[in-house]
Amino acid sequence: MPNLKDLKNRIDSVKSTRKITSAMKMVAAAKLRRAQEAAESARAYSERMDTVLRSLAGSFAGMEGGPQLLAGTGDDKTHLVVVFTSDRGLCGGFNGTIVRESRRLVHDLKGQGKIVKLLCVGRKGADLLKSEFRGDIIDSVIGVGGKKGIGYQEATAISDRITEMFEAGEFDVCSIVFNKFQSAMTQIVTAQQLIPFASDEADSGEEAASGELKAAYEFEPEESEILEVLLPKNLGVQIFQAMLESSASEHGSRMTAMDNATRNAGDMIDKLTLTYNRSRQAAITSELIEIISGAETL
């Protein structure tokens, strides 16, 4: 029979845990609202900018002399993979899904004979990947967002570093892996190539096949000059969007995880309380039997 004191201590411990998980759920819900608004507000801008640049870059497809961020190095031997995770845990499967997708991507690239370098944004990504890819992790960026939330300056700092590495010839292709926010319970793991920038060749082919004519635009200055300016800015915008999406996904996943933990703690308290009451009743019954048996012997 379980010890009544141990059961009482266990119940008190689970109640304390339930208070903590409930408080974390409320904090995550408050942060989620702000993070979701920021991600959804910026999403329209980043998607429109990406669409415009894809259409603009389509005229340079297969041509020489285009911007380096569009044309690339002419090789795809070395790949840089930027992994966006969180600095803290207790957020369900948020970090696990990103790490699994990153592992799959790295193994696929290495299977093709490519050289892979990892840049981890967030403490958990580096912690979970270093056991398998310690030699491939070039650095980790920790403390993104902080107490004031994610700022565009943090995104530009990362994009500037990526641009410097690209110009120095340290990699040929750059991709990012992050969770795209859909709802508090659903996040979509997304792998997006940033360098070289993908043009709109497929869309142009579809339009030609359907017989639809694209509108003719005149650009001032020339397309190449516009791309030279906008492609680096787009790199910062897409990284900023990935950080916002990742932040909203983290808070949504943490809120869901803490809600489940609070519910599970409640169920455990009910079961432990039932066991405690049964054990207490059994102890009282046993004592009564002993008293009655002793009285009868007298």
Side-chain angles (χ1 to χ4, degrees), residues 124-137:
K124 288 297 179 180
D127 291 344
L128 294 172
L129 290 170
K130 66 182 180 182
S131 59
E132 188 174 358
F133 306 111
R134 182 181 296 273
D136 300 321
I137 299 176

Side-chain angles (χ1 to χ4, degrees), residues 52-53 55-60 63 65-67 70 215-231:
V52 170
L53 284 176
S55 177
L56 187 62
S59 59
F60 285 88
M63 296 174 59
L70 174 64
Y217 296 96
E218 292 185 2
F219 294 96
E220 183 68 30
E222 295 296 326
E223 291 96 324
S224 59
E225 297 180 39
I226 298 175
L227 288 171
E228 285 283 0
V229 175
L230 289 187
L231 283 174

Side-chain angles (χ1 to χ4, degrees), residues 119 138-141 156-166 171:
L119 175 61
I138 58 174
D139 198 5
S140 59
V141 181
T156 54
I158 296 174
S159 66
D160 289 345
R161 179 174 181 181
I162 293 174
T163 303
E164 290 173 2
M165 292 175 62
F166 180 67
F171 66 86

Side-chain angles (χ1 to χ4, degrees), residues 63-100:
M63 296 174 59
E64 296 183 358
Q68 192 176 17
L69 288 175
L70 174 64
T73 61
D75 197 2
D76 64 343
K77 182 65 176 177
T78 306
H79 286 249
L80 174 67
V81 180
V82 185
V83 183
F84 290 87
T85 56
S86 64
D87 287 333
R88 300 185 297 142
L90 297 177
C91 49
F94 170 77
N95 292 309
T97 54
I98 299 175
V99 169
R100 281 195 296 272

Side-chain angles (χ1 to χ4, degrees), residues 105-160:
L105 180 60
V106 172
H107 285 306
D108 287 349
L109 291 172
K110 288 189 173 183
Q112 300 172 21
K114 311 297 183 184
I115 300 172
V116 181
K117 298 180 180 180
L118 292 169
L119 175 61
C120 298
V121 181
R123 189 191 310 273
K124 288 297 179 180
D127 291 344
L128 294 172
L129 290 170
K130 66 182 180 182
S131 59
E132 188 174 358
F133 306 111
R134 182 181 296 273
D136 300 321
I137 299 176
I138 58 174
D139 198 5
S140 59
V141 181
I142 300 173
V144 174
K147 295 182 179 179
K148 296 183 179 179
I150 295 172
Y152 184 66
Q153 296 80 3
E154 294 173 309
T156 54
I158 296 174
S159 66
D160 289 345

Side-chain angles (χ1 to χ4, degrees), residues 36 40 43 180-188 245 249:
Q36 181 178 354
E40 291 177 348
R43 190 179 295 168
K180 185 175 182 179
F181 178 81
Q182 185 171 3
S183 68
M185 298 183 64
T186 307
Q187 297 85 37
I188 303 173
E245 297 280 357
S249 299

